[in-house]
Amino acid sequence: MHKMTRNLSLATLLLSSTIFTACSAQDPTTTPNNAVSQPTTKVSAKGPQDSKEIEAFIDPVFAEKMKKYNVNGSNFVVVKDGKVLVNKGYGYADKEKKTLVDKDTVFQIASVSKTFTALAALQLAEKGKIDLKHDITEYLGGMKVPNKTNKPLTMYDMLTYTAGFDYPDKSLITGPEYVNQVIPMKEFMTEHMPTVVRTPGEAYTYDNFAFLLAGYAVETVSGIPFPQYMEKNVFKPLGMNSTNSRFTPELLARMATHYGADGAPHPAIGVAPTDGPQGSILSTGEDMAKYLIMFQQQGTFDGKEIVSKKTIEQMQTYSVFADKSIPMTTVGGFEGYRNDLMNGHHVVLKGGNMPGHQSLVVLLPEKNTAFYMSYNNDTMMSLEVLEAFMNHYFPDERTSKKSTYIPLSASDATKYVGSYQNTRFYALKSNFTYADGNLLMETGTSGKHTLKMVNSLLFEDESGNKLAFKKDHKDQIEYFYYTNPNSLDFGSDSRKVHAKPAFADVPNDSIYKTYIDNLHSFDVISAKSGNLFEPRGTMTQGEFMDVALLANGWHIFNDTLADNKAMIESGVPGFDRNAPITRQIAAVMIQILKQAKPATDIKLTGDTDSWAVDAITALVSQGIIDPDTKVKADGSVDFRSKQPLLRQEASALLDLAFGYYALPIKNK
């Protein structure tokens, strides 16, 4: 479960590398609680075997990573061959009260909850109550799911992140106010129902709503509320007595304090709906160890069968691939992102993020090894722990192979070139062009890349990162998946953006046509009436704010949309939705969302209010400027700040600010 925070991009949230150094050697934050490290022993070729050796290896890892990421407290569990080798805490559950993390400290495991929801759905499938390949509406008690495709949505699609919803994060609503509220699933979903717009099974999109809907199907088919089903059929049989899908007074009393990346504490975060199959479960190291044991014992625990061996295999076996070399998801909520950290081994993992809490489960089925960790901030420390663990116990033993490439002709390149938009992160756009036998790619968080063709659907960039194109049900190139760890593209597939019919009143030779057409194709701005765009028409402040939020792309997250609206309304002096918008107000709105950094010295001439100067100069210096506004050789420019903003000018500014991929943009 991922939540955006104000003024923090998702790139920063997922790829943060904050450095923290203010800890002494005796601080529990840097040493294990109630444990002393032992000298390192020889590592077995079979992976972790000895508790003391594991601790001697992992203690310094946590010391380093917790300092680096400013983490106050974490737990860590290692299970091998059905036995717990390590279950310990590091640092503080509550730094202010000096409460240490231990095996009974409660954390919100967030999206790790999805694997439990999948387990419940697969239990019902074993009993013949759910057919994974049948229309999901059969199991929803009359609830309808809007579907614009010709293929029914199934439980299988939802459990493999291939449901095809347009807004997969509509169920992503979190906040302190939800800790003590009870919001039923049916009521919530009826109000926040997205639409299936991609053929189910066709594209991978990380999907919170799909797992919420899967949990509702569990509730409907079983005839008992979701939390009661989980308690009766999953938690209690596993002896997970400190695990629940909702807050209880007892669990709240033992829950680790939530901290931001800056180390400041903040209130516990609740979810809506209250019982969130997509991410509301709370648990402990002690309980999660039992969950891992069940996987290693082929679905049984303490002599009881929780699910069959076949189901356990299904949950740990990849069924969706971007390419045969790029595993994506299992039928069970587990994923294969950051395949570069797996060293060629069969690994399935599931991470979870809640503001102030982060979790990770890692399973190596063929090695009968697993680990779990949670900690009390929402940085990505867990991936560096995973990397250290894999390099230590399961290094890459593959023989390095040099890729061979096939020249790409200009005619063949036409099926790949064009613009694409990420199917989850609408703010992430990519563009492909052709030159000299290769594809050239520009993408939002990692810039420009040269892609060489390995085969007709697989390419590699200059660093060896793989990019796989995918075909749709019409056998046309429609999607791509990119493994670059420095990009956000690995979060979901991206889909090709197709041009829409041109507006009748925008001439082909208009210097604004490309910008207008681009925004139209991304569904950001549409006709004013009929097929007329009215390029020289004006806009109100409210109209421009609405299209700016769409162009920005983070409107897909409810919390972020509310935050961005509030920032715009408070950042524009005298904001009035119905008042005409001027060019300087538009610049301020864009800069609030873009946060562009000044790149060159700009000297504003003409009349500009003082509150707009910084925004305008920052945008102009980065090349975010309409084509009728010229920057002179000495860096001076008249932005015509107090003139009304025309619709064609709005299109240029928004397309340059949010549709392009690398700044600064060179002015032609």
Side-chain angles (χ1 to χ4, degrees):
M1 189 170 240
H2 301 284
K3 171 183 163 65
M4 293 286 294
T5 53
R6 184 173 294 188
N7 285 331
L8 183 65
S9 72
L10 196 60
T12 304
L13 180 65
L14 294 182
L15 306 173
S16 172
S17 56
T18 304
I19 305 298
F20 178 62
T21 57
C23 281
S24 67
Q26 287 72 40
D27 193 319
T29 302
T30 63
T31 55
N33 299 336
N34 305 315
V36 178
S37 298
Q38 302 295 323
T40 301
T41 58
K42 184 177 180 180
V43 179
S44 167
K46 297 181 180 179
Q49 299 287 314
D50 179 76
S51 298
K52 291 183 178 180
E53 185 282 322
I54 299 171
E55 293 183 48
F57 154 65
I58 205 68
D59 289 353
V61 172
F62 271 90
E64 175 196 351
K65 304 307 179 185
M66 289 173 71
K67 283 183 179 180
K68 178 177 179 178
Y69 286 97
N70 201 11
V71 172
N72 286 320
S74 180
N75 60 17
F76 186 66
V77 176
V78 178
V79 176
K80 171 75 173 178
D81 297 326
K83 296 180 180 179
V84 180
L85 298 182
V86 172
N87 188 354
K88 65 190 304 182
Y90 296 88
Y92 295 113
D94 189 315
K95 190 171 185 179
E96 290 69 36
K97 295 179 180 178
K98 305 301 181 186
T99 305
L100 300 178
V101 174
D102 62 24
K103 62 185 179 64
D104 296 315
T105 301
V106 173
F107 287 90
Q108 292 177 276
I109 65 172
S111 280
V112 175
S113 305
K114 291 180 173 66
T115 67
F116 286 90
T117 299
L119 183 75
L122 292 170
Q123 282 181 331
L124 294 171
E126 285 184 358
K127 295 176 181 178
K129 295 184 177 181
I130 290 179
D131 187 322
L132 298 182
K133 297 298 182 72
H134 277 197
D135 190 332
I136 193 62
T137 57
E138 295 180 25
Y139 310 114
L140 300 179
M143 180 182 290
K144 301 298 182 183
V145 179
N147 189 338
K148 292 185 177 181
T149 75
N150 293 319
K151 184 180 178 183
L153 174 64
T154 71
M155 179 66 79
Y156 185 92
D157 301 322
M158 297 194 301
L159 298 186
T160 56
Y161 304 97
T162 59
F165 283 120
D166 53 356
Y167 293 108
D169 292 298
K170 272 202 169 182
S171 62
L172 197 62
I173 299 180
T174 63
E177 65 271 25
Y178 298 115
V179 171
N180 296 312
Q181 290 189 38
V182 176
I183 301 174
M185 274 197 281
K186 183 176 182 180
E187 171 187 311
F188 180 89
M189 287 191 295
T190 301
E191 185 178 347
H192 297 89
M193 181 68 72
T195 300
V196 177
V197 293
R198 295 179 300 280
T199 300
E202 197 168 80
Y204 160 65
T205 303
Y206 190 85
D207 198 324
N208 278 293
F209 193 89
F211 277 82
L212 171 57
L213 194 61
Y216 182 71
V218 168
E219 180 172 290
T220 302
V221 170
S222 68
I224 59 176
F226 179 77
Q228 293 179 24
Y229 181 92
M230 298 303 293
E231 176 66 20
K232 178 182 178 181
N233 297 281
V234 180
F235 302 148
K236 188 174 181 180
L238 284 171
M240 298 179 71
N241 299 318
S242 294
T243 302
N244 206 304
S245 64
R246 60 169 61 183
F247 295 105
T248 67
E250 196 273 334
L251 293 182
L252 277 170
R254 286 193 279 131
M255 189 164 67
T257 299
H258 297 63
Y259 293 92
D262 60 357
H266 62 76
I269 300 295
V271 301
T274 304
D275 303 305
Q278 78 282 22
S280 72
I281 292 176
L282 300 85
S283 193
T284 65
E286 181 75 0
D287 279 7
M288 289 299 294
K290 298 171 183 176
Y291 187 53
L292 303 185
I293 289 171
M294 179 205 67
F295 280 97
Q296 293 181 2
Q297 294 183 163
Q298 304 303 309
T300 65
F301 182 83
D302 197 23
K304 300 183 292 287
E305 183 178 274
I306 311 301
V307 286
S308 68
K309 179 181 178 181
K310 181 179 179 181
T311 290
I312 287 296
E313 290 176 351
Q314 192 175 29
M315 292 187 73
Q316 298 181 101
T317 302
Y318 287 107
S319 59
V320 176
F321 295 80
D323 171 81
K324 63 181 180 180
S325 63
I326 308 174
M328 304 291 291
T329 73
T330 75
V331 185
F334 289 102
E335 298 178 275
Y337 62 86
R338 291 307 303 270
N339 188 249
D340 57 305
L341 302 180
M342 298 176 184
N343 293 339
H345 298 280
H346 177 56
V347 180
V348 299
L349 53 82
K350 188 73 201 83
N353 176 277
M354 182 71 69
H357 280 188
Q358 182 89 206
S359 295
L360 179 67
V361 166
V362 177
L363 307 179
L364 290 91
E366 296 170 4
K367 307 294 184 181
N368 227 21
T369 301
F371 80 76
Y372 158 78
M373 61 183 290
S374 288
Y375 49 98
N376 54 2
N377 75 10
D378 49 8
T379 63
M380 291 307 291
M381 179 182 81
S382 55
L383 288 183
E384 293 197 12
V385 174
L386 167 63
E387 182 177 23
F389 186 90
M390 292 299 299
N391 288 343
H392 186 68
Y393 291 111
F394 303 104
D396 196 336
E397 299 174 346
R398 295 170 294 181
T399 302
S400 179
K401 278 186 177 182
K402 189 173 182 180
S403 298
T404 56
Y405 303 113
I406 304 170
L408 177 65
S409 68
S411 59
D412 285 342
T414 57
K415 59 188 175 187
Y416 309 107
V417 299
S419 295
Y420 294 72
Q421 184 175 41
N422 194 273
T423 56
R424 185 191 185 200
F425 306 134
Y426 284 11
L428 182 58
K429 305 177 184 74
S430 304
N431 192 59
F432 293 87
T433 54
Y434 173 80
D436 302 323
N438 301 310
L439 284 179
L440 303 182
M441 176 190 193
E442 288 185 277
T443 191
T445 52
S446 61
K448 300 180 180 180
H449 304 282
T450 299
L451 300 171
K452 296 181 180 297
M453 185 166 69
V454 178
N455 61 52
S456 62
L457 293 176
L458 186 65
F459 289 72
E460 283 188 3
D461 70 12
E462 61 285 341
S463 300
N465 298 309
K466 295 180 179 180
L467 186 147
F469 286 97
K470 297 182 181 181
K471 294 183 178 181
D472 63 8
H473 60 286
K474 299 177 181 178
D475 202 35
Q476 302 295 312
I477 297 293
E478 184 70 6
Y479 308 97
F480 78 81
Y481 181 80
Y482 186 32
T483 64
N484 190 337
N486 298 314
S487 171
L488 287 182
D489 295 279
F490 69 81
S492 290
D493 284 348
S494 291
R495 187 177 191 178
K496 184 175 283 189
V497 177
H498 299 281
K500 294 185 176 181
F503 294 112
D505 57 348
V506 178
N508 288 333
D509 60 354
S510 168
I511 56 177
Y512 288 94
K513 179 175 173 56
T514 298
Y515 305 120
I516 293 170
D517 289 347
N518 284 348
L519 290 194
H520 189 205
S521 67
F522 282 106
D523 293 319
V524 171
I525 196 164
S526 57
K528 189 70 174 176
S529 61
N531 191 34
L532 301 178
F533 182 74
E534 297 186 16
R536 298 195 61 81
T538 58
M539 305 179 75
T540 66
Q541 294 180 23
E543 286 173 333
F544 184 80
M545 180 179 74
D546 293 342
V547 295
L549 290 167
L550 290 175
N552 171 247
W554 294 118
H555 63 285
I556 55 175
F557 292 95
N558 294 295
D559 297 323
T560 309
L561 177 62
D563 281 353
N564 284 341
K565 279 185 176 180
M567 285 192 291
I568 288 174
E569 291 174 2
S570 64
V572 174
F575 175 81
D576 182 349
R577 278 197 63 89
N578 298 316
I581 190 166
T582 61
R583 291 169 55 83
Q584 66 178 2
I585 290 176
V588 169
M589 287 189 186
I590 292 173
Q591 178 61 356
I592 287 171
L593 298 173
K594 184 70 177 177
Q595 295 295 299
K597 304 298 181 185
T600 57
D601 289 333
I602 295 294
K603 305 170 188 175
L604 288 185
T605 62
D607 189 10
T608 298
D609 286 328
S610 59
W611 48 263
V613 170
D614 288 345
I616 294 171
T617 53
L619 296 181
V620 172
S621 75
Q622 290 283 13
I624 302 171
I625 185 172
D626 61 281
D628 281 323
T629 302
K630 306 298 180 182
V631 180
K632 296 181 180 179
D634 64 355
S636 64
V637 59
D638 182 1
F639 193 72
R640 295 170 285 127
S641 301
K642 295 190 175 182
Q643 290 185 14
L645 179 75
L646 304 183
R647 283 171 57 84
Q648 63 184 13
E649 296 168 350
S651 300
L653 293 175
L654 291 173
D655 189 38
L656 288 165
F658 302 112
Y660 277 58
Y661 320 101
L663 294 177
I665 300 166
K666 294 182 179 179
N667 290 310
K668 297 179 181 179

